[in-house]
Amino acid sequence: KKNDDETLARLPWIESIAYSSKEFSGKIDKMAALKEKIENGKNKIIYISPEGLTNYEISQALLNAAKKKNISAIVIDETHLVIDWGMNFRPEFQFLPALISKLKHYSENAITTVLLSATITESDKDVLHSIFGYDGIIEFRGDELRPEIEYYSNDELERIIDLIESIKR
């Protein structure tokens, strides 16, 4: 299993970091370096889960970065999960709108919020607008069925081997 740093190293043109509580737990030096990178805007992209954002040190680093205007955008992929999961499963998703509001306040509204979902309904959209705000929303929709990825082979063992190889790439 590759760790996040190895995966991100495959994208050398993007300065990025990933936070995982398993990798940072109890590692004071590693956490201090992460906080410094966040606060000073040294990375173009930070990958972090909603659970990671509830870490006090991470959220404080983000607030300090917002004050320095070192955050330009917050992107939430699979935004429908804020609604679907946040109520009963992974409640940390409910923390996102409040944190983003606070970050925008600290940055004097210099942060763009991008909400992404390929499966959003009109009802979900209305809920997301109400919890994230209506200010400056630009909506791009591509409501169409997409074909699922299919992989065929005449030999079952060959199919499994090829599938494992394609996952490794």
Side-chain angles (χ1 to χ4, degrees), residues 20-22 29 32 34 36 40 49 52 58-59 63 70 72 74 80 83 122 134 137 141 148:
S20 165
S21 61
K22 290 178 185 175
D29 292 343
L34 173 68
E36 192 271 330
N40 294 314
S49 69
I58 298 291
S59 61
L63 290 172
N70 284 334
S72 60
I74 302 285
H80 59 278
I83 300 162
E122 282 299 315
Y134 289 89
I137 289 178
R141 302 283 302 251
E148 294 293 327

PDB file of all heavy atoms in Angstrom, residues 20-22 29 32 34 36 40 49 52 58-59 63 70 72 74 80 83 122 134 137 141 148:
ATOM      1  N   SER A  20      -3.186  12.905   7.171  1.00  0.00           N
ATOM      2  CA  SER A  20      -3.813  11.683   7.656  1.00  0.00           C
ATOM      3  C   SER A  20      -3.523  11.588   9.145  1.00  0.00           C
ATOM      4  O   SER A  20      -2.357  11.627   9.550  1.00  0.00           O
ATOM      5  CB  SER A  20      -3.236  10.467   6.924  1.00  0.00           C
ATOM      6  OG  SER A  20      -3.566   9.287   7.612  1.00  0.00           O
ATOM      7  N   SER A  21      -4.574  11.478   9.949  1.00  0.00           N
ATOM      8  CA  SER A  21      -4.368  11.431  11.396  1.00  0.00           C
ATOM      9  C   SER A  21      -3.475  10.268  11.793  1.00  0.00           C
ATOM     10  O   SER A  21      -2.723  10.356  12.751  1.00  0.00           O
ATOM     11  CB  SER A  21      -5.699  11.366  12.134  1.00  0.00           C
ATOM     12  OG  SER A  21      -6.406  10.208  11.778  1.00  0.00           O
ATOM     13  N   LYS A  22      -3.529   9.169  11.035  1.00  0.00           N
ATOM     14  CA  LYS A  22      -2.684   8.015  11.350  1.00  0.00           C
ATOM     15  C   LYS A  22      -1.206   8.363  11.186  1.00  0.00           C
ATOM     16  O   LYS A  22      -0.367   7.933  11.958  1.00  0.00           O
ATOM     17  CB  LYS A  22      -3.038   6.830  10.447  1.00  0.00           C
ATOM     18  CG  LYS A  22      -4.371   6.213  10.753  1.00  0.00           C
ATOM     19  CD  LYS A  22      -4.674   5.087   9.802  1.00  0.00           C
ATOM     20  CE  LYS A  22      -6.072   4.551  10.028  1.00  0.00           C
ATOM     21  NZ  LYS A  22      -6.447   3.542   9.059  1.00  0.00           N
ATOM     22  N   ASP A  29       6.989  17.053  15.308  1.00  0.00           N
ATOM     23  CA  ASP A  29       7.754  17.731  14.262  1.00  0.00           C
ATOM     24  C   ASP A  29       7.001  17.732  12.936  1.00  0.00           C
ATOM     25  O   ASP A  29       6.971  18.743  12.228  1.00  0.00           O
ATOM     26  CB  ASP A  29       9.124  17.065  14.063  1.00  0.00           C
ATOM     27  CG  ASP A  29      10.043  17.274  15.260  1.00  0.00           C
ATOM     28  OD1 ASP A  29       9.750  18.172  16.079  1.00  0.00           O
ATOM     29  OD2 ASP A  29      11.041  16.550  15.369  1.00  0.00           O
ATOM     30  N   ALA A  32       4.116  20.202  13.165  1.00  0.00           N
ATOM     31  CA  ALA A  32       4.606  21.586  13.128  1.00  0.00           C
ATOM     32  C   ALA A  32       4.964  21.994  11.696  1.00  0.00           C
ATOM     33  O   ALA A  32       4.651  23.105  11.262  1.00  0.00           O
ATOM     34  CB  ALA A  32       5.820  21.745  14.044  1.00  0.00           C
ATOM     35  N   LEU A  34       3.688  20.704   8.953  1.00  0.00           N
ATOM     36  CA  LEU A  34       2.428  20.803   8.214  1.00  0.00           C
ATOM     37  C   LEU A  34       1.750  22.137   8.498  1.00  0.00           C
ATOM     38  O   LEU A  34       1.315  22.833   7.579  1.00  0.00           O
ATOM     39  CB  LEU A  34       1.503  19.649   8.597  1.00  0.00           C
ATOM     40  CG  LEU A  34       0.085  19.717   8.027  1.00  0.00           C
ATOM     41  CD1 LEU A  34       0.105  19.521   6.524  1.00  0.00           C
ATOM     42  CD2 LEU A  34      -0.807  18.687   8.691  1.00  0.00           C
ATOM     43  N   GLU A  36       3.063  24.928   9.468  1.00  0.00           N
ATOM     44  CA  GLU A  36       3.843  26.016   8.867  1.00  0.00           C
ATOM     45  C   GLU A  36       3.566  26.108   7.370  1.00  0.00           C
ATOM     46  O   GLU A  36       3.385  27.204   6.824  1.00  0.00           O
ATOM     47  CB  GLU A  36       5.335  25.793   9.141  1.00  0.00           C
ATOM     48  CG  GLU A  36       6.218  26.989   8.828  1.00  0.00           C
ATOM     49  CD  GLU A  36       6.721  27.001   7.404  1.00  0.00           C
ATOM     50  OE1 GLU A  36       6.897  25.924   6.806  1.00  0.00           O
ATOM     51  OE2 GLU A  36       6.909  28.108   6.871  1.00  0.00           O
ATOM     52  N   ASN A  40       1.620  29.465   5.809  1.00  0.00           N
ATOM     53  CA  ASN A  40       2.384  30.322   4.906  1.00  0.00           C
ATOM     54  C   ASN A  40       2.106  30.063   3.436  1.00  0.00           C
ATOM     55  O   ASN A  40       2.799  30.590   2.568  1.00  0.00           O
ATOM     56  CB  ASN A  40       3.879  30.205   5.220  1.00  0.00           C
ATOM     57  CG  ASN A  40       4.173  30.760   6.598  1.00  0.00           C
ATOM     58  OD1 ASN A  40       3.704  31.834   6.954  1.00  0.00           O
ATOM     59  ND2 ASN A  40       4.909  30.011   7.401  1.00  0.00           N
ATOM     60  N   SER A  49      -9.530  15.415   4.893  1.00  0.00           N
ATOM     61  CA  SER A  49     -10.909  14.946   5.091  1.00  0.00           C
ATOM     62  C   SER A  49     -11.640  15.889   6.038  1.00  0.00           C
ATOM     63  O   SER A  49     -11.009  16.658   6.777  1.00  0.00           O
ATOM     64  CB  SER A  49     -10.885  13.540   5.688  1.00  0.00           C
ATOM     65  OG  SER A  49     -10.405  13.613   7.024  1.00  0.00           O
ATOM     66  N   GLY A  52     -10.298  15.458   9.393  1.00  0.00           N
ATOM     67  CA  GLY A  52      -9.022  16.143   9.588  1.00  0.00           C
ATOM     68  C   GLY A  52      -9.200  17.611   9.914  1.00  0.00           C
ATOM     69  O   GLY A  52      -8.427  18.196  10.669  1.00  0.00           O
ATOM     70  N   ILE A  58      -4.950  21.843  12.921  1.00  0.00           N
ATOM     71  CA  ILE A  58      -5.177  22.051  11.490  1.00  0.00           C
ATOM     72  C   ILE A  58      -6.128  23.225  11.270  1.00  0.00           C
ATOM     73  O   ILE A  58      -5.865  24.110  10.446  1.00  0.00           O
ATOM     74  CB  ILE A  58      -5.764  20.777  10.834  1.00  0.00           C
ATOM     75  CG1 ILE A  58      -4.799  19.601  10.947  1.00  0.00           C
ATOM     76  CG2 ILE A  58      -6.154  21.038   9.383  1.00  0.00           C
ATOM     77  CD1 ILE A  58      -3.549  19.710  10.141  1.00  0.00           C
ATOM     78  N   SER A  59      -7.232  23.260  12.005  1.00  0.00           N
ATOM     79  CA  SER A  59      -8.195  24.344  11.807  1.00  0.00           C
ATOM     80  C   SER A  59      -7.578  25.694  12.175  1.00  0.00           C
ATOM     81  O   SER A  59      -7.824  26.696  11.500  1.00  0.00           O
ATOM     82  CB  SER A  59      -9.496  24.093  12.570  1.00  0.00           C
ATOM     83  OG  SER A  59      -9.274  24.019  13.949  1.00  0.00           O
ATOM     84  N   LEU A  63      -7.097  28.940   9.726  1.00  0.00           N
ATOM     85  CA  LEU A  63      -7.549  30.285  10.079  1.00  0.00           C
ATOM     86  C   LEU A  63      -6.407  31.294   9.951  1.00  0.00           C
ATOM     87  O   LEU A  63      -6.596  32.405   9.432  1.00  0.00           O
ATOM     88  CB  LEU A  63      -8.133  30.302  11.491  1.00  0.00           C
ATOM     89  CG  LEU A  63      -9.459  29.575  11.663  1.00  0.00           C
ATOM     90  CD1 LEU A  63      -9.835  29.493  13.145  1.00  0.00           C
ATOM     91  CD2 LEU A  63     -10.559  30.241  10.867  1.00  0.00           C
ATOM     92  N   ASN A  70      -3.697  33.399   2.376  1.00  0.00           N
ATOM     93  CA  ASN A  70      -2.953  32.307   1.750  1.00  0.00           C
ATOM     94  C   ASN A  70      -3.852  31.148   1.340  1.00  0.00           C
ATOM     95  O   ASN A  70      -3.361  30.073   1.047  1.00  0.00           O
ATOM     96  CB  ASN A  70      -1.851  31.799   2.686  1.00  0.00           C
ATOM     97  CG  ASN A  70      -0.673  32.738   2.724  1.00  0.00           C
ATOM     98  OD1 ASN A  70      -0.434  33.475   1.775  1.00  0.00           O
ATOM     99  ND2 ASN A  70       0.052  32.729   3.819  1.00  0.00           N
ATOM    100  N   SER A  72      -6.987  30.485  -1.405  1.00  0.00           N
ATOM    101  CA  SER A  72      -7.791  31.101  -2.468  1.00  0.00           C
ATOM    102  C   SER A  72      -9.095  30.350  -2.702  1.00  0.00           C
ATOM    103  O   SER A  72     -10.066  30.937  -3.162  1.00  0.00           O
ATOM    104  CB  SER A  72      -6.995  31.182  -3.767  1.00  0.00           C
ATOM    105  OG  SER A  72      -6.621  29.888  -4.192  1.00  0.00           O
ATOM    106  N   ILE A  74     -11.628  26.719  -1.411  1.00  0.00           N
ATOM    107  CA  ILE A  74     -11.932  25.476  -0.708  1.00  0.00           C
ATOM    108  C   ILE A  74     -12.772  24.659  -1.681  1.00  0.00           C
ATOM    109  O   ILE A  74     -13.797  25.140  -2.172  1.00  0.00           O
ATOM    110  CB  ILE A  74     -12.752  25.717   0.575  1.00  0.00           C
ATOM    111  CG1 ILE A  74     -12.034  26.650   1.540  1.00  0.00           C
ATOM    112  CG2 ILE A  74     -13.139  24.398   1.222  1.00  0.00           C
ATOM    113  CD1 ILE A  74     -10.888  26.033   2.283  1.00  0.00           C
ATOM    114  N   HIS A  80     -22.661  16.237  -2.139  1.00  0.00           N
ATOM    115  CA  HIS A  80     -23.928  15.675  -1.657  1.00  0.00           C
ATOM    116  C   HIS A  80     -23.736  14.890  -0.358  1.00  0.00           C
ATOM    117  O   HIS A  80     -24.684  14.696   0.405  1.00  0.00           O
ATOM    118  CB  HIS A  80     -24.579  14.788  -2.729  1.00  0.00           C
ATOM    119  CG  HIS A  80     -23.721  13.646  -3.149  1.00  0.00           C
ATOM    120  ND1 HIS A  80     -22.711  13.786  -4.079  1.00  0.00           N
ATOM    121  CD2 HIS A  80     -23.704  12.359  -2.741  1.00  0.00           C
ATOM    122  CE1 HIS A  80     -22.108  12.619  -4.230  1.00  0.00           C
ATOM    123  NE2 HIS A  80     -22.688  11.742  -3.435  1.00  0.00           N
ATOM    124  N   ILE A  83     -24.820  16.402   2.979  1.00  0.00           N
ATOM    125  CA  ILE A  83     -26.211  16.168   3.367  1.00  0.00           C
ATOM    126  C   ILE A  83     -26.431  14.696   3.698  1.00  0.00           C
ATOM    127  O   ILE A  83     -26.909  14.349   4.777  1.00  0.00           O
ATOM    128  CB  ILE A  83     -27.162  16.582   2.230  1.00  0.00           C
ATOM    129  CG1 ILE A  83     -26.976  18.064   1.918  1.00  0.00           C
ATOM    130  CG2 ILE A  83     -28.605  16.261   2.581  1.00  0.00           C
ATOM    131  CD1 ILE A  83     -27.517  18.476   0.583  1.00  0.00           C
ATOM    132  N   GLU A 122     -32.037  18.489  -7.167  1.00  0.00           N
ATOM    133  CA  GLU A 122     -32.494  19.863  -6.955  1.00  0.00           C
ATOM    134  C   GLU A 122     -32.677  20.136  -5.459  1.00  0.00           C
ATOM    135  O   GLU A 122     -32.322  21.205  -4.971  1.00  0.00           O
ATOM    136  CB  GLU A 122     -33.804  20.127  -7.706  1.00  0.00           C
ATOM    137  CG  GLU A 122     -33.618  20.353  -9.192  1.00  0.00           C
ATOM    138  CD  GLU A 122     -32.749  21.572  -9.523  1.00  0.00           C
ATOM    139  OE1 GLU A 122     -32.948  22.643  -8.914  1.00  0.00           O
ATOM    140  OE2 GLU A 122     -31.867  21.433 -10.390  1.00  0.00           O
ATOM    141  N   TYR A 134     -25.703  31.798  -0.493  1.00  0.00           N
ATOM    142  CA  TYR A 134     -26.064  32.027  -1.897  1.00  0.00           C
ATOM    143  C   TYR A 134     -25.101  32.996  -2.580  1.00  0.00           C
ATOM    144  O   TYR A 134     -25.145  33.174  -3.786  1.00  0.00           O
ATOM    145  CB  TYR A 134     -27.487  32.599  -1.987  1.00  0.00           C
ATOM    146  CG  TYR A 134     -28.552  31.591  -1.657  1.00  0.00           C
ATOM    147  CD1 TYR A 134     -28.988  31.412  -0.348  1.00  0.00           C
ATOM    148  CD2 TYR A 134     -29.120  30.808  -2.644  1.00  0.00           C
ATOM    149  CE1 TYR A 134     -29.964  30.491  -0.047  1.00  0.00           C
ATOM    150  CE2 TYR A 134     -30.105  29.877  -2.346  1.00  0.00           C
ATOM    151  CZ  TYR A 134     -30.515  29.731  -1.045  1.00  0.00           C
ATOM    152  OH  TYR A 134     -31.479  28.809  -0.749  1.00  0.00           O
ATOM    153  N   ILE A 137     -22.627  32.334  -6.085  1.00  0.00           N
ATOM    154  CA  ILE A 137     -22.716  30.964  -6.575  1.00  0.00           C
ATOM    155  C   ILE A 137     -22.798  30.974  -8.098  1.00  0.00           C
ATOM    156  O   ILE A 137     -23.600  31.679  -8.690  1.00  0.00           O
ATOM    157  CB  ILE A 137     -23.933  30.229  -5.996  1.00  0.00           C
ATOM    158  CG1 ILE A 137     -23.685  29.952  -4.511  1.00  0.00           C
ATOM    159  CG2 ILE A 137     -24.206  28.930  -6.749  1.00  0.00           C
ATOM    160  CD1 ILE A 137     -24.831  29.267  -3.814  1.00  0.00           C
ATOM    161  N   ARG A 141     -23.801  22.628 -14.574  1.00  0.00           N
ATOM    162  CA  ARG A 141     -24.507  21.347 -14.485  1.00  0.00           C
ATOM    163  C   ARG A 141     -24.193  20.521 -15.723  1.00  0.00           C
ATOM    164  O   ARG A 141     -24.120  21.047 -16.826  1.00  0.00           O
ATOM    165  CB  ARG A 141     -26.027  21.559 -14.399  1.00  0.00           C
ATOM    166  CG  ARG A 141     -26.524  22.397 -13.238  1.00  0.00           C
ATOM    167  CD  ARG A 141     -26.569  21.700 -11.908  1.00  0.00           C
ATOM    168  NE  ARG A 141     -27.360  20.522 -11.819  1.00  0.00           N
ATOM    169  CZ  ARG A 141     -28.499  20.414 -11.174  1.00  0.00           C
ATOM    170  NH1 ARG A 141     -29.027  21.466 -10.589  1.00  0.00           N
ATOM    171  NH2 ARG A 141     -29.126  19.264 -11.095  1.00  0.00           N
ATOM    172  N   GLU A 148     -20.830   3.520 -17.228  1.00  0.00           N
ATOM    173  CA  GLU A 148     -19.938   2.955 -16.234  1.00  0.00           C
ATOM    174  C   GLU A 148     -18.744   2.314 -16.942  1.00  0.00           C
ATOM    175  O   GLU A 148     -18.860   1.828 -18.067  1.00  0.00           O
ATOM    176  CB  GLU A 148     -20.663   1.897 -15.395  1.00  0.00           C
ATOM    177  CG  GLU A 148     -21.763   2.454 -14.530  1.00  0.00           C
ATOM    178  CD  GLU A 148     -21.238   3.363 -13.423  1.00  0.00           C
ATOM    179  OE1 GLU A 148     -20.136   3.128 -12.918  1.00  0.00           O
ATOM    180  OE2 GLU A 148     -21.960   4.315 -13.086  1.00  0.00           O
TER     181      GLU A 148
END
